[in-house]
Amino acid sequence: MSTVNTNGVLPLAGRVAVITGASSGLGEATAELLAARGAKVALLARRADRLDAAVARIEKAGGTAIAVTADVTDPAALDAAAARVANELGTADLLFNNAGVMLAAPVTDTRHDQWQRQIDTNIAGLMNAIGAFVPQLVEAAAEKGVADLVNTSSIASQGVYPNFAVYSGSKAFVSHASRNLRSELGALNVRVAVIEPGFVRTELQGHVTEPGAVAWLDDVFATQVVLEAGDIAETVAFLAQQPPRVNFQQITVMPTFQAG
């Protein structure tokens, strides 16, 4: 849904946003909302068919978007994506760093494959996107007075969840790295924010195969009113629409029922 300012201008007109993990869930919802608010958006993920469908919806609604097929675990692919965004949309001034994976298993199962996948995507992938797009954010901030880096963490970064040690640890990295990045980039007028959602209805819980964790998640999503992807999209838009002097460095968004 678009929200027009009193002067008739969409609130994110003139912004160029990059969204990783944009083929579903939080990324897809955020791309569509930011486009509706006037931003040009680059949707980045691995699933080309899903990206193309999302871009088609955005364009049908009158927005501007491109699909960029890339894997965040590949630094060269992200560098190429950054060059394409600059050439086709202009200098990126908003990065929603959202790609991630959630897997669960008892540590005694020694699932090295799961551990590595989460580290590669949630930690290395986050930093690969930052490395590729922060130069553009800094350039845009120098020109416009503000740019935004918004990272997706999780309430798991604060809590203790059996069988989710590596996932929770990877999200703790995202939250703490974001605070440190703010100390570097704030002086350059690049705002850094981290969003820590509680339970959100997305594909993420579908990654989990460990029986105990599956049963726990299925029960929560069947019996409780959880967040929707659009709730987090609204949070990203809220952050981007603040005056340049305002930086919400950390936002925890929880379903009303969820205590921790």
Side-chain angles (χ1 to χ4, degrees):
M1 182 179 72
S2 63
T3 303
V4 180
N5 290 338
T6 54
N7 60 4
V9 177
L10 291 170
L12 295 178
R15 302 294 300 266
V16 177
V18 177
I19 299 96
T20 70
S23 61
S24 67
L26 309 187
E28 182 180 53
T30 300
E32 295 193 28
L33 180 63
L34 297 185
R37 298 275 172 91
K40 299 176 182 178
V41 297
L43 289 78
L44 191 154
R46 295 176 299 168
R47 293 180 290 182
D49 57 335
R50 293 290 300 264
L51 294 179
D52 289 340
V55 167
R57 289 194 301 272
I58 290 170
E59 292 179 338
K60 183 177 181 180
T64 301
I66 61 172
V68 182
T69 305
D71 188 330
V72 296
T73 66
D74 182 349
L78 288 187
D79 288 342
R84 183 180 167 200
V85 169
N87 288 335
E88 297 187 25
L89 297 181
T91 305
D93 60 25
L94 193 163
L95 171 62
F96 181 39
N97 213 359
N98 171 69
V101 63
M102 180 176 71
L103 304 170
V107 70
T108 51
D109 286 358
T110 58
R111 291 294 305 273
H112 294 282
D113 57 332
Q114 290 190 0
W115 301 346
Q116 196 61 54
R117 184 179 172 196
Q118 291 176 101
I119 291 166
D120 289 346
T121 303
N122 299 353
I123 296 178
L126 178 101
M127 295 310 302
N128 290 339
I130 288 170
F133 286 100
V134 156
Q136 292 189 39
L137 299 184
V138 170
E139 179 183 345
E143 295 173 356
K144 301 177 179 180
V146 69
D148 289 284
L149 168 60
V150 182
N151 296 324
T152 300
S153 180
S154 168
I155 190 60
S157 69
Q158 303 181 30
V160 176
Y161 301 92
N163 303 330
F164 286 86
V166 176
Y167 175 74
S168 297
S170 72
K171 290 305 183 177
F173 173 90
V174 174
S175 292
H176 197 52
S178 298
R179 289 187 284 268
N180 282 270
L181 288 167
R182 183 172 177 271
S183 73
E184 295 184 47
L185 296 174
L188 301 174
N189 293 325
V190 177
R191 300 184 291 204
V192 181
V194 62
I195 302 175
E196 298 180 334
F199 287 108
V200 190
R201 194 177 304 280
T202 71
E203 291 183 0
L204 194 65
Q205 60 270 16
H207 299 164
V208 178
T209 58
E210 196 278 323
V214 169
W216 171 57
L217 291 170
D218 285 350
D219 179 67
V220 169
F221 283 90
T223 62
Q224 302 292 344
V225 179
V226 301
L227 299 172
E228 300 294 338
D231 300 324
I232 305 305
E234 289 284 359
T235 305
V236 177
F238 168 79
L239 293 169
Q241 291 169 207
Q242 295 305 304
R245 67 182 181 274
V246 178
N247 185 175
F248 287 82
Q249 69 168 8
Q250 180 174 329
I251 296 184
T252 300
V253 186
M254 300 285 275
T256 302
F257 84 90
Q258 187 178 357

